[in-house]
Structures are given as structure tokens and as C-alpha cells.
Amino acid sequence: SSDLFPSHDKVCIYKPFIDGYDQELLICMESGHVKLENQLPPYILYTESEYVYRTAGSFKSSSGVLFFENFLKQIIGDYRFNSIVDVGGNDLSMARLIKGYGCQCTVIDPVCSGIDGEIIDDIYVLGRLIENVDLSVDINRPDLVVCRHSLEHFANPQEVVSQWFQQCHADCLYVVEVPCFDSLLESLRFDAIFHQHYHYFDLSSLKRLIWDCGGEYLTHTYNYQGSCGGALLVAFRKAKSGQPSPPPIDIESRIRYIKSRISLYTQQMEVMSQLLNNLPQPIYGYGAGLMLATLAYHLKTDFSNLVCVLDDDPSKDGMTYENVPVTVQWTTKVAP
């Protein structure tokens, strides 16, 4: 029930071994959409204690929010909305930026469960999964929905987009941003494939999702400085008439290309791993990313040969990882 497309239309293109669980990367033979085979329940992943990522704490994400706003402004001009909804609004960074474009603004995100039902900075907060919110009843029916780096987290994005079309205003504008799988392939960022991102969209597969749900694609742009190798931003709406079906893709060629990039990435990791093992001590890491364990897996190391991982965030000083035996130190506390 969580599949975007029927299971008999998928083939496995990559199956790494992970200590604990096997994971597979699948591709739909009809649409070319790529997704993970196995998923963890969202009620486990997206709690205030477990999901610690916050937009304002990342320079790249903060700059990405401004990029998203500029894309939105190019589409709407001076138009103002009645009811704006930010699905997956995280720490309200995006909502604070765009709330002036409408009369009301709502954030929906389970990581906000501790402030569910509260109004903060004129933003109504619903700390729930989007699937558990009725947008036509629980709030004023939205005429603008923004969804930045959340669609890839949903177990079934087809159900979510269909829910939007059913519950939002008939003329509602939808603007979404997702990590771009084509950019991930080009930049060899396979470390950006991990358990929280179920789906890996490119422009073709996102257009297909919109079409399958009865929507109409409007425009798109790319943020090549975005996270996970680069981001894709797409605007769409519910179609008022039938739309032509998406053009077919050369799926065999697509699979060959993906496999070739995986092979090149594997070689890159092998070379980097040898370099790390042969570097003279002392060795310091820089940047205590939340997904460091994923990179460690691909490098076949636990980074125990590092003195520490340096980070500019003082709040991370002295912290460590549950599955990577290395300590984080604030850069200013380490002598040059």
C-alpha cells in the first residue's frame, strides 16, 4: 500500500548490505521513479526527540529557503492568498518568510507535536502527520500549499497529493521542492540515499506523479546548490481538463546510466577509503553532519582513526554519535 507504483513494475537496481537490515533501491519500469524498498514507520522517525534536524540550524537550508521564496515570487507576483499551508514546515522558517503572502498561514509537521494547536508568530501550528489532517475542515481551505523537502519523506506521496487535490481550494497553487535524483547521480551523492528519504524524484517522475493524481504541471527550476547534490522545485495545480499522458522513457538506458554512476561512486569511495587509512596522524574531520554514519558505511570505516570531528556549531561540542565512535569539538576550542 505504500508503493507509488505497482510492485510488479519495479526492478532492483542496487542492493547494498547493511548491518541490521537489507535495503534495496528500486526503479519503476514504467515511469522511471526510484524509491527504497523498505520503510520505517513515520511515527517512529518523525518525533521531536528522534528527528533533530531543523532548517534554521543549517546555512545551506536557510539559503535554500530564500531560493524557494524567490521561485514562488516569480510565479505569483503581487497576488495574495487567503490560506497558506506549509506541509513539513519544520521549525517554521519558511512560514515566517512567506506568511505575509496570505491572510492566514498554517504549518503541518509531526515534529511540532509539542506545540500542536498553538499560534506562534501568527502561524497556526498542527503537529501532526499530513495524512491525519483534513485541510477542508481543520483549517480554512488552502489556496497555496508549499512543501519543501518533505514529499520524499512520505510513504505514499500519491495519496498525499490526491488528498491535497480533494481538500484544498479548486484553484490552489502547489509549490514543492525535493532532492533531485538527476543531480544526485551527476554529483555522485549516493551517500544522500538513506532511510528517511523513501522517494527519489527527477523532473520526469515528479511530473508523472502530478499527472497520475489529476494535476497540471506549471513550471520548475533547479537549485544546484541545494542539499543532497541539488534540488528540484516544481509548481503545479489541479487540472481543470484532461492532460496528455507523459512521454515514455527509455528505461533500459536509464538503468544502465544509474548503474554506471553507482559503479563510479563505489570506485570513488574505495580510493577515498585508502587515502584515509594511509594519512599520517593526527587526522581531524570537519562538519558533524547528521548522516555521517551513512558516509562511514560507504567508506567502510567508523572514523575511529580521527582525533575528532570539528564543527562551527558550539551546541555540538562534546557530542558523539550512537553508531560512530568519534567526538565532536567546537572549532574555536581546538588549537591551530
Side-chain angles (χ1 to χ4, degrees):
S1 62
S2 63
D3 288 344
L4 182 61
F5 299 105
S7 58
H8 64 272
D9 288 332
K10 299 178 299 184
V11 297
C12 178
I13 54 175
Y14 182 47
K15 183 178 180 181
F17 175 76
I18 299 175
D19 188 15
Y21 296 94
D22 286 335
Q23 185 59 277
E24 296 184 19
L25 193 64
L26 305 178
I27 187 167
C28 172
M29 296 298 287
E30 181 181 351
S31 69
H33 178 65
V34 174
K35 67 184 285 286
L36 296 182
E37 167 68 9
N38 302 308
Q39 301 176 352
L40 292 172
Y43 64 85
I44 294 176
L45 287 176
Y46 305 115
T47 65
E48 284 188 293
S49 59
E50 292 299 321
Y51 192 76
V52 299
Y53 175 82
R54 296 296 181 267
T55 303
S58 166
F59 171 78
K60 178 169 285 190
S61 292
S62 297
S63 61
V65 166
L66 296 175
F67 189 98
F68 187 101
E69 184 199 17
N70 287 332
F71 178 59
L72 176 63
K73 287 195 294 187
Q74 291 172 18
I75 299 169
I76 67 173
D78 296 328
Y79 188 82
R80 291 298 178 263
F81 299 88
N82 178 53
S83 176
I84 299 173
V85 170
D86 183 359
V87 178
N90 199 265
D91 60 5
L92 316 188
S93 292
M94 173 61 70
R96 288 189 175 96
L97 197 63
I98 66 171
K99 65 180 181 180
Y101 298 151
C103 300
Q104 295 178 327
C105 186
T106 303
V107 161
I108 302 172
D109 197 319
V111 302
C112 299
S113 59
I115 53 175
D116 179 49
E118 296 185 17
I119 298 177
I120 298 176
D121 295 337
D122 296 323
I123 301 166
Y124 183 44
V125 181
L126 292 177
R128 314 170 198 172
L129 296 168
I130 180 60
E131 296 89 341
N132 297 333
V133 177
D134 189 327
L135 299 169
S136 65
V137 175
D138 297 331
I139 59 175
N140 288 334
R141 196 182 292 269
D143 52 354
L144 172 63
V145 171
V146 299
C147 182
R148 184 176 179 274
H149 287 280
S150 294
L151 199 65
E152 67 274 15
H153 292 257
F154 298 144
N156 194 323
Q158 194 169 25
E159 286 186 357
V160 172
V161 174
S162 296
Q163 173 194 2
W164 292 350
F165 287 168
Q166 293 167 7
Q167 297 177 357
C168 296
H169 192 279
D171 294 323
C172 184
L173 172 68
Y174 304 90
V175 185
V176 303
E177 178 179 348
V178 293
C180 178
F181 189 59
D182 280 340
S183 294
L184 182 152
L185 293 174
E186 183 177 350
S187 58
L188 297 179
R189 284 297 311 277
F190 289 94
D191 60 295
I193 295 176
F194 50 85
H195 62 285
Q196 292 171 354
H197 288 181
Y198 297 157
H199 299 274
Y200 297 84
F201 293 100
D202 57 23
L203 181 59
S204 175
S205 67
L206 190 48
K207 282 183 174 181
R208 174 60 185 262
L209 171 64
I210 295 166
W211 180 80
D212 276 353
C213 296
E216 177 185 5
Y217 157 84
L218 298 176
T219 186
H220 76 278
T221 191
Y222 293 97
N223 181 1
Y224 294 109
Q225 302 303 315
S227 60
C228 303
L232 167 65
L233 293 80
V234 172
F236 60 96
R237 63 189 176 193
K238 184 177 180 179
K240 298 185 183 299
S241 60
Q243 298 295 304
S245 60
I249 65 170
D250 185 347
I251 191 65
E252 297 299 335
S253 175
R254 179 72 168 164
I255 292 174
R256 286 195 300 271
Y257 175 68
I258 294 173
K259 286 186 173 181
S260 72
R261 302 305 287 179
I262 291 172
S263 177
L264 189 57
Y265 175 76
T266 302
Q267 296 173 43
Q268 183 189 62
M269 291 295 100
E270 289 174 351
V271 171
M272 182 61 70
S273 180
Q274 293 176 23
L275 289 173
L276 285 173
N277 290 333
N278 294 317
L279 284 174
Q281 291 287 345
I283 307 171
Y284 291 81
Y286 183 79
L290 294 174
M291 295 300 170
L292 185 63
T294 304
L295 183 60
Y297 163 78
H298 290 288
L299 289 171
K300 296 181 173 60
T301 182
D302 61 1
F303 293 119
S304 58
N305 62 332
L306 301 184
V307 175
C308 67
V309 173
L310 303 172
D311 199 279
D312 293 332
D313 186 352
S315 67
K316 294 181 181 179
D317 186 50
M319 289 186 174
T320 187
Y321 294 83
E322 186 172 342
N323 48 5
V324 180
V326 62
T327 302
V328 181
Q329 290 191 25
W330 187 25
T331 49
T332 60
K333 295 178 65 174
V334 179

